[in-house]
Amino acid sequence: MLFNSWEFAALVLGLLALYFLTNRIRYQVGLLIGGSFVFYAYGQPYLLGLLVFSAALNAIISYNVARNSEEKKRLAWAVAGVVVNLLVLAFFKYGGFLADSIGRLMGMGFQPGLWLVNLPLPVGISFYTFQGISLVVDLLRKDSTITAEEAHIREIGGFREHFFRTVFYICFFPQLVAGPIVKARDFYLQITAKSFSKIRWVPAFQSLIVGYFLKMGVADNLSSQTYWIAYPYFINFSSLDLVMLLFGYSFQIFADFAGYSLIAIGIARLFGYELPLNFNFPYLAASFSEFWHRWHISLSSWLREYLYIPLGGSKKGHRRTYINLFLVMFLGGLWHGAAWSYAVWGTWHGMALAVERTLRGVNVRFAQAGWYQLISVLFVFCFVTFSWLLFQLPEFSQVLAYIKAIGSNSSVNSNIVRLLVLCLYSSPVILYHLHGLSREKGWRMPRACKDFGYALMLWWTVFNSGSSEAFIYFQF
Amino acid sequence: MRRVLIYFSLLLISYVLLIQLWAPAIPVSENQETNNIIRAEHLIYNEQPDAIMVGSSLIGEFYRYSNAESIYFLPQAGGSAIEGLDLLRLKEIAPQVILIETNALYVSRRPEFASKLNEGVAASLAESLLAFRTQYRPTNIFLSIFHRLKHSGGESAPHKKVNKMALDLRLQNLGEMYAEPKDWSDYDESLKHVLDHILYFKGQGCRVVIVEFPIHPELIETRFHSERREKLFKQFEAVDITIIDLNNYDRAEFTDGIHFSGETQERLVNEFEMIASTKQESGI
């Protein structure tokens, strides 16, 4: 079910109407679990089984991690939990990719497990398996970071209670299919009875207005233009058109995913839950490490906490740090999709991070100057933008053809209407980032201006929405 | 939040009133898809013509050349004539003549196009309030103002010119693509749908003309076009309709190997208008 569909609006309104009838926690959580199942099963009910299986398995394993007093047994259960989650992910998401890659490697005649290629990709599997791992690992940690859930389990010892809460944590519909990836320790603490008067309605609606505007008013409109970044359509476009299309795609992918995240945050707020911030004006980043602290924050912090730091982070010498960086970014790239182009995309970013780290010691005289910061921001933005080509074009040969066309099609005429439309739909993302910049600088906008901005976004969404498209990150 | 709602209501009411009173002409639209909807909405909400041509992006700009307005061109860029036929049938529009462009019938059918224009809140609002029609989206208004400023000397149809380099690049690429074998199952389905529509419209008393548009000489002999054309003519051989095959139309000039230059479009439009206006069935 899409966030921008009437069915979804009906589901949320229906749930809200029932949610505050009582403030008994069991009733409220049960209602949200039921709603989440309807949300997930809508359109592909056969995949609900896998979600329930994954949630149940994580509940059983995490219960045993928390309940056992013997350290070895705790560790064994936790390892089993991580492995099972990774196996589920590997089988459904990467099975076909691995079978295909092995087949190609061994020659055309040998293609083991080709049936894996035809397996349906369960929506949100990359997100909910990562949440399962987060739960198991958080519970394994020592006393200094002990979770409320562990204390809860030890205190009351009720499996049924924990099972109920875990299914809710894994399946909570606003973040189920495309994040933000919620860490167990941040979520379990919030599972309490909610009353109507305690809901933060204004921030919830503000998130929803901006989220829907970015998705329907910007991303869906840009997608009608960036549609042309597809082989073979682009090969006879002018160089200027091609560059502008690429910038448009960069703004589109931001508006699409940031829009989704804000809608998820807004919907969760309506039910009294806070999801983590996923985007913090990423195109203002003046370095690649800063970019990854601003873009898809819930994934990058997950990778940092559950992969980079356990691998040793930057504490085991230079060489190991670089290996860790490459590995984390390679796997982070592959997390986005079962194709080598995603792995290359991740490694490409890993390389940028490594080069940046190497240059960190170099003393730049103008580092604090405004113009130097501006050039850094533009450089990072252009690098990131060109990297998105690996997202949009599935084959390297097509990526190369696109770059070649940029270089060779300078004599082809540009389409003025297309360029104008791209500029028009990109401008809200630029303004959004300028607003972010002003916030970071501490400049305050008058309240009336702010309110008019929200009204304007709402008006634009009503009159100028693009044709309803699925969210780009659903495919991951 | 109260202030947001007040501002929003003011914006909404002002825009609805402004468009209702002003209703500016919209000579350009932001993309092909929007243009598809604008052409379809215009057909639904205005007086219905005697002759309609349904097709793909090949006829996307024909309406700009149609001076006599004896044919209403209903394109479906990115799709094919089927969506147009779906819409005519759904809205019970039965003109005297229907011309069907057949070149893009292999493109997958998008049944939601017609239903979207017929159902839902947006369709109901668009029926009574101009501001909710695709034509009057703020982006289209902005583009039209820009267009008017740029062409302040007067309106003219855009004359798509041929860019030799772009054409060569595209032809080479199309040649490679069209040499590969294709799964025709979707196409077979589409042809069945078209046949079903043709029989329906004939039953309504419409004259149906099928038009196979010119194909670039370098591509006509490709495996793709040979197979596609063979299936097409076989499908309709038993039906009592006029088939106009422009395969040997030697005056066609192409911009990208598939679409036509402005001059060719203009010439084709004139000829189709003659066909539509004559009572007798004829060919070019």
Side-chain angles (χ1 to χ4, degrees):
Chain A
M1 194 183 285
L2 292 177
F3 277 2
N4 49 346
S5 65
W6 290 108
E7 296 86 351
F8 181 73
L11 177 73
V12 172
L13 289 175
L15 286 175
L16 271 175
L18 297 170
Y19 192 68
F20 294 107
L21 285 180
T22 162
N23 56 3
R24 283 182 56 206
I25 184 167
R26 270 180 168 262
Y27 166 82
Q28 288 185 332
V29 171
L31 188 71
L32 288 180
I33 291 175
S36 301
F37 286 169
V38 172
F39 169 80
Y40 193 76
Y42 191 86
Q44 35 181 193
Y46 53 95
L47 292 176
L48 183 62
L50 180 65
L51 174 69
V52 175
F53 168 77
S54 174
L57 210 69
N58 277 304
I60 294 166
I61 290 171
S62 58
Y63 182 79
N64 281 292
V65 174
R67 195 86 179 114
N68 263 299
S69 47
E70 255 183 74
E71 205 53 37
K72 267 189 181 172
K73 280 187 181 169
R74 278 163 60 87
L75 184 66
W77 275 107
V79 169
V82 173
V83 169
V84 167
N85 273 302
L86 289 177
L87 278 178
V88 168
L89 186 63
F91 182 77
F92 282 96
K93 186 165 179 177
Y94 301 102
F97 167 65
L98 289 173
D100 187 49
S101 298
I102 292 169
R104 279 169 197 245
L105 209 68
M106 307 285 278
M108 294 299 280
F110 182 71
Q111 291 189 315
L114 205 61
W115 56 276
L116 286 166
V117 178
N118 299 319
L119 274 178
L121 175 67
V123 178
I125 191 167
S126 315
F127 292 90
Y128 66 71
T129 47
F130 268 34
Q131 292 203 173
I133 293 172
S134 151
L135 168 65
V136 171
V137 174
D138 279 2
L139 281 172
L140 180 71
R141 287 189 172 154
K142 301 285 179 194
D143 286 344
S144 59
T145 53
I146 198 163
T147 64
E149 185 64 8
E150 187 174 2
H152 181 82
I153 290 169
R154 288 201 172 150
E155 209 174 282
I156 62 163
F159 173 72
R160 211 200 293 176
E161 183 86 9
H162 174 68
F163 186 87
F164 196 55
R165 290 153 66 96
T166 304
V167 171
F168 178 48
Y169 161 65
I170 301 277
C171 303
F172 185 39
F173 71 95
Q175 44 83 38
L176 174 58
V177 292
I181 300 167
V182 186
K183 284 173 196 149
R185 61 171 181 274
D186 296 332
F187 194 79
Y188 278 83
L189 287 170
Q190 298 185 52
I191 308 177
T192 54
K194 313 286 179 188
S195 64
F196 189 86
S197 58
K198 293 278 165 61
I199 299 299
R200 299 173 61 223
W201 297 103
V202 173
F205 284 118
Q206 285 174 338
S207 295
L208 289 173
I209 291 173
V210 180
Y212 277 110
F213 167 73
L214 285 174
K215 170 61 183 162
M216 296 165 75
V218 179
D220 286 351
N221 281 313
L222 278 170
S223 82
S224 301
Q225 306 297 326
T226 59
Y227 160 84
W228 297 106
I229 310 181
Y231 189 79
Y233 302 120
F234 62 74
I235 60 168
N236 58 346
F237 278 37
S238 78
S239 301
L240 182 61
D241 278 358
L242 292 171
V243 171
M244 289 299 289
L245 279 172
L246 203 46
F247 282 122
Y249 184 67
S250 193
F251 291 126
Q252 180 201 338
I253 199 166
F254 165 77
D256 191 279
F257 196 20
Y260 178 90
S261 299
L262 282 168
I263 297 169
I265 289 169
I267 299 284
R269 277 179 180 159
L270 293 178
F271 295 98
Y273 289 86
E274 276 299 324
L275 300 182
L277 185 73
N278 221 12
F279 289 87
N280 184 23
F281 310 103
Y283 292 148
L284 290 179
S287 68
F288 295 106
S289 55
E290 191 187 347
F291 176 78
W292 284 106
H293 278 90
R294 288 170 176 271
W295 179 275
H296 202 175
I297 300 166
S298 65
L299 174 69
S300 24
S301 75
W302 193 99
L303 290 172
R304 203 165 29 247
E305 193 171 331
Y306 299 102
L307 189 61
Y308 182 67
I309 292 171
L311 282 171
S314 57
K315 300 255 161 70
K316 294 195 173 176
H318 282 301
R319 195 197 295 176
R320 185 64 186 270
T321 304
Y322 290 123
I323 292 171
N324 289 346
L325 265 180
F326 272 107
L327 193 66
V328 169
M329 292 311 288
F330 172 82
L331 291 174
L334 216 48
W335 175 89
H336 284 83
W340 288 114
S341 56
Y342 292 111
V344 172
W345 172 79
T347 314
W348 178 242
H349 270 276
M351 197 183 73
L353 285 168
V355 170
E356 190 175 272
R357 202 177 178 84
T358 314
L359 296 175
R360 198 175 279 174
V362 180
N363 199 2
V364 180
R365 199 145 53 104
F366 319 106
Q368 295 309 317
W371 62 266
Y372 184 84
Q373 289 288 317
L374 180 67
I375 290 174
S376 303
V377 169
L378 290 175
F379 176 74
V380 172
F381 172 66
C382 290
F383 181 96
V384 169
T385 294
F386 272 80
S387 311
W388 293 133
L389 260 184
L390 290 158
F391 257 56
Q392 179 71 348
L393 296 171
E395 288 183 25
F396 299 124
S397 57
Q398 297 175 2
V399 173
L400 292 176
Y402 197 95
I403 294 167
K404 193 179 153 200
I406 290 176
S408 60
N409 290 7
S410 54
S411 62
V412 176
N413 291 335
S414 292
N415 183 327
I416 299 293
V417 171
R418 183 182 296 131
L419 295 180
L420 262 178
V421 172
L422 279 168
C423 289
L424 183 73
Y425 288 132
S426 299
S427 56
V429 179
I430 297 169
L431 287 173
Y432 183 73
H433 279 78
L434 288 177
H435 164 68
L437 183 68
S438 73
R439 255 179 39 176
E440 285 174 15
K441 297 272 180 204
W443 301 329
R444 290 206 145 208
M445 195 189 274
R447 179 134 176 247
C449 257
K450 226 173 169 178
D451 288 345
F452 186 73
Y454 283 115
L456 202 61
M457 284 190 268
L458 208 52
W459 170 79
W460 185 267
T461 310
V462 169
F463 285 103
N464 213 97
S465 284
S467 58
S468 178
E469 300 272 342
F471 290 86
I472 295 175
Y473 263 66
F474 274 13
Q475 63 188 298
F476 308 139
Chain B
M1 237 24 226
R2 201 184 306 145
R3 203 149 43 168
V4 173
L5 287 175
I6 293 169
Y7 287 148
F8 170 66
S9 307
L10 286 174
L11 281 169
L12 187 129
I13 294 165
S14 319
Y15 192 69
V16 168
L17 285 176
L18 178 80
I19 298 299
Q20 208 72 25
L21 296 172
W22 181 30
I26 305 291
V28 279
S29 60
E30 57 192 281
N31 55 44
Q32 290 184 339
E33 199 182 323
T34 310
N35 199 42
N36 294 342
I37 303 170
I38 291 175
R39 294 295 295 163
E41 281 182 345
H42 196 261
L43 179 70
I44 296 169
Y45 302 125
N46 292 288
E47 208 176 314
Q48 287 160 12
D50 292 338
I52 297 174
M53 181 176 227
V54 288
S56 65
S57 60
L58 287 190
I59 66 161
E61 289 185 347
F62 277 20
Y63 69 97
R64 296 181 192 277
Y65 304 98
S66 182
N67 297 322
E69 289 181 358
S70 55
I71 303 183
Y72 189 86
F73 293 100
L74 184 60
Q76 187 59 217
S80 71
I82 303 180
E83 284 85 0
L85 291 169
D86 284 345
L87 184 72
L88 296 185
R89 190 158 167 181
L90 193 70
K91 300 301 283 185
E92 296 176 350
I93 300 169
Q96 288 173 18
V97 188
I98 298 180
L99 296 110
I100 304 171
E101 173 247 291
T102 52
N103 289 48
L105 287 177
Y106 61 88
V107 178
S108 299
R109 182 181 176 219
R110 297 185 293 189
E112 72 282 358
F113 177 77
S115 55
K116 251 190 208 171
L117 285 161
N118 197 46
E119 301 157 1
V121 184
S124 315
L125 285 168
E127 201 165 343
S128 45
L129 296 170
L130 291 178
F132 287 94
R133 291 190 189 164
T134 305
Q135 186 175 9
Y136 297 113
R137 279 159 59 88
T139 307
N140 289 335
I141 305 265
F142 163 77
L143 288 174
S144 298
I145 293 169
F146 172 81
H147 184 266
R148 218 163 288 152
L149 291 173
K150 201 178 161 207
H151 300 276
S152 49
E155 284 293 322
S156 63
H159 267 262
K160 266 192 168 176
K161 297 259 170 56
V162 181
N163 182 300
K164 181 80 175 66
M165 185 185 159
L167 178 62
D168 288 346
L169 277 168
R170 190 83 169 109
L171 277 176
Q172 186 193 344
N173 170 259
L174 286 171
E176 285 165 14
M177 272 173 58
Y178 288 173
E180 285 171 13
K182 183 175 163 59
D183 173 12
W184 291 107
S185 49
D186 277 358
Y187 184 53
D188 292 337
E189 274 303 303
S190 296
L191 290 178
K192 277 184 203 157
H193 275 296
V194 175
L195 185 61
D196 178 51
H197 280 313
I198 289 173
L199 296 175
Y200 167 80
F201 286 111
K202 279 185 76 70
Q204 300 289 307
C206 303
R207 189 179 133 217
V208 179
V209 180
I210 275 186
V211 188
E212 172 69 5
F213 274 55
I215 293 157
H216 196 283
E218 283 188 29
L219 302 174
I220 186 80
E221 296 300 334
T222 52
R223 178 180 185 159
F224 173 80
H225 277 305
S226 311
E227 289 180 6
R228 184 186 64 78
R229 286 165 54 82
E230 193 186 318
K231 279 177 173 288
L232 176 85
F233 293 127
K234 201 171 168 193
Q235 179 77 54
F236 297 119
E237 66 187 358
V239 194
D240 179 27
I241 47 169
T242 310
I243 299 179
I244 298 174
D245 184 3
L246 299 175
N247 185 10
N248 297 317
Y249 188 77
D250 55 4
R251 285 183 291 167
E253 197 181 31
F254 296 83
T255 52
D256 58 3
I258 297 173
H259 300 93
F260 308 111
S261 69
E263 279 173 31
T264 305
Q265 289 190 47
E266 196 164 15
R267 206 176 299 138
L268 286 169
V269 166
N270 289 335
E271 304 204 37
F272 291 136
E273 279 175 343
M274 277 169 59
I275 294 171
S277 58
T278 50
K279 297 268 184 242
Q280 296 294 316
E281 296 177 343
S282 63
I284 295 175

